[in-house]
Every structure is written in structure tokens, then in C-alpha cells.
Amino acid sequence: MKTKNFQLYNPKNKVVEEAYSFLKANFTFSNVDKKYKNIAVLSVNPKEGKTTVAINFAINVARSGMKVLLVDTDLRKPVRGKRLGEDSEKGLSDYLIEGLYLKDVIVDTNIENLNYLPSGVKVVKPVELLSSNEFKQFISEANEKYDLLIFDTPALSSVTDGYIIASNANASFLVVRSGSSDLVNLKKTKEYLNKANANVLGVVFNRVTKAEYRKNFGGYDYFNKKKILER
């Protein structure tokens, strides 16, 4: 395993921290028998906050003591240059193409119990790689080393890659940005996921405004400390 560490960020905002803790708790309740060893984080459109959710969900699960591997499966866009501000190195695509050892492509992070697997070199036909026996072998091997794999996936509206990944995962959840996806597209996406035999656990409603938060979660008003103290 490489010794270089990635500085995955860690939310300090109390509301954000509570939201991710709640997401982790819901997943834990649905996985009491530990049948879900890997989960795909999906979104219909780009820029709905899927990667942010995947990273922070991974952080919260790792904090609970589980050994977690965060996997970037967007083989069309090398992840470090796009999301983490680093030069690309070997990753998932290199493992699948070159037959590398898992320890040669996984890197540490600054979060205890959390490792990271970059997408690797850009490939021309990612669908073929993600549909291959090598990808299934990767999941099987990683499942033996980690308590949970978390797949950060390409947007479902852009390419079919996400559907393939979801069909290979034990479970998945859909990240929906407030005000960005209409109900018709969400229903169509759910139908396609069903056809792909994807096990969708639920939806994460992301980037909710303060006004929406107060309206729907007024009983847990972290924006007004005085109100909390008076209760």
C-alpha cells in the first residue's frame, strides 16, 4: 500500500455533521446482518454533490471503526486532477487492465480506517472494463480486506457506467440535489435501476437551503442556539 496520504476533508458544520451521522445510522440499521459489503453512491445529473456525499459518508463509517475503501469508478475522468487537486497515479483502471496487486493501487488517507482507490488512467471503453470478470474479481478481493466498499460513480444521465456499477453492488443510494431533478426523471431512473437489478436503499436529499431545513426539521434547529437552550 502506498504511504502517501490524501487529505480528505472533514465537515465542521454541526448541521452537516449531524446529517452525515444520520445517513450512517440509517445505513447501519438497514445492515444489521452485515449483508451489504459494498454500496454505490449514485446521482441522476452531474454536480448534485454525489462525490461530497460519498466522501463524507465514507468518513463517518470509518469513524465508527469499520475498515472502508472509497473507490472512484469514473474511468472517463482521472479523479485526482478533477476532485482532489493531485496528479493522477495508478488506480482502478490500471488494476483491471494490467493485473496489478490491490496493494499497489490503494493509498492511505488522513482518516483512520479509510483508504482510497483512484480511478486510474483514462480508458476508451470503460463499460467493457466495468462489465468484466476482472471488475467482479476486484470486488471479491476488496470485500475480503474491507468491511465496506463505497463506489463513487459517474452521473446516470451521462453514461451507463453507473447502472453497471450499481448492478454489481450489494446496495446503492441516490443523491438528489434540491431543485435540480424533476420527479419524472427520478421515476425513470428508478425504473432503469430496477431493470439493472440494483438494490436502491433510498434517496439522499442534498443541498437543502436553510429555509427548507427549518421548515422540515424545525424540531432540530441547529441554526438557533438560543432556541435549543430554552427547551
Side-chain angles (χ1 to χ4, degrees):
M1 187 177 296
K2 299 186 179 182
T3 57
K4 185 174 181 179
N5 282 3
F6 279 123
Q7 301 297 310
L8 294 180
Y9 55 88
N10 196 342
K12 297 299 182 183
N13 183 291
K14 188 174 182 180
V15 178
V16 173
E17 183 71 14
E18 184 68 22
Y20 284 116
S21 295
F22 186 69
L23 175 61
K24 189 259 292 181
N26 275 324
F27 174 73
T28 301
F29 293 149
S30 66
N31 195 34
V32 289
D33 55 359
K34 302 186 184 304
K35 60 183 175 182
Y36 303 138
K37 291 281 292 181
N38 45 77
I39 185 167
V41 182
L42 312 168
S43 70
V44 177
N45 304 307
K47 299 182 179 180
E48 296 207 58
K50 169 178 43 59
T51 296
T52 300
V53 171
I55 290 173
N56 285 285
F57 176 59
I59 289 172
N60 273 268
V61 175
R63 277 179 172 176
S64 70
M66 294 179 67
K67 192 174 181 182
V68 180
L69 178 64
L70 175 63
V71 185
D72 191 292
T73 57
D74 190 349
L75 304 186
R76 300 170 190 267
K77 297 178 183 178
V79 74
R80 294 189 188 176
K82 181 177 65 173
R83 295 171 185 157
L84 299 178
E86 299 277 351
D87 293 331
S88 294
E89 294 183 16
K90 292 184 181 298
L92 177 60
S93 59
D94 304 278
Y95 170 92
L96 298 176
I97 295 171
E98 300 179 25
L100 300 177
Y101 291 108
L102 198 56
K103 63 181 179 64
D104 294 329
V105 291
I106 290 175
V107 295
D108 293 325
T109 72
N110 61 314
I111 307 298
E112 187 177 359
N113 296 321
L114 176 56
N115 293 134
Y116 171 65
L117 177 58
S119 59
V121 65
K122 182 178 179 179
V123 297
V124 179
K125 297 180 179 180
V127 171
E128 292 184 5
L129 276 183
L130 295 172
S131 303
S132 66
N133 289 329
E134 285 77 11
F135 184 64
K136 292 180 174 61
Q137 178 184 335
F138 155 71
I139 294 176
S140 178
E141 182 181 352
N143 279 341
E144 294 180 1
K145 300 179 183 297
Y146 292 90
D147 298 313
L148 183 66
L149 312 183
I150 299 175
F151 299 123
D152 180 21
T153 64
L156 296 171
S157 63
S158 303
V159 291
T160 60
D161 305 17
Y163 291 104
I164 297 172
I165 297 162
S167 69
N168 280 283
N170 300 145
S172 59
F173 59 78
L174 194 62
V175 177
V176 177
R177 179 178 177 177
S178 176
S180 72
S181 298
D182 59 65
L183 189 58
V184 174
N185 284 334
L186 287 174
K187 286 183 176 180
K188 286 183 179 179
T189 300
K190 182 60 167 61
E191 290 175 3
Y192 293 146
L193 287 169
N194 288 340
K195 290 179 180 179
N197 294 319
N199 179 23
V200 181
L201 298 180
V203 173
V204 176
F205 200 42
N206 192 35
R207 297 191 184 182
V208 179
T209 64
K210 288 184 178 181
E212 290 175 307
Y213 186 90
R214 288 194 183 98
K215 179 180 178 181
N216 294 288
F217 303 97
Y220 301 90
D221 193 348
Y222 298 111
F223 298 102
N224 191 330
K225 293 182 180 179
K226 183 179 179 181
K227 187 175 181 180
I228 293 174
L229 293 174
E230 291 175 346
R231 290 183 175 177

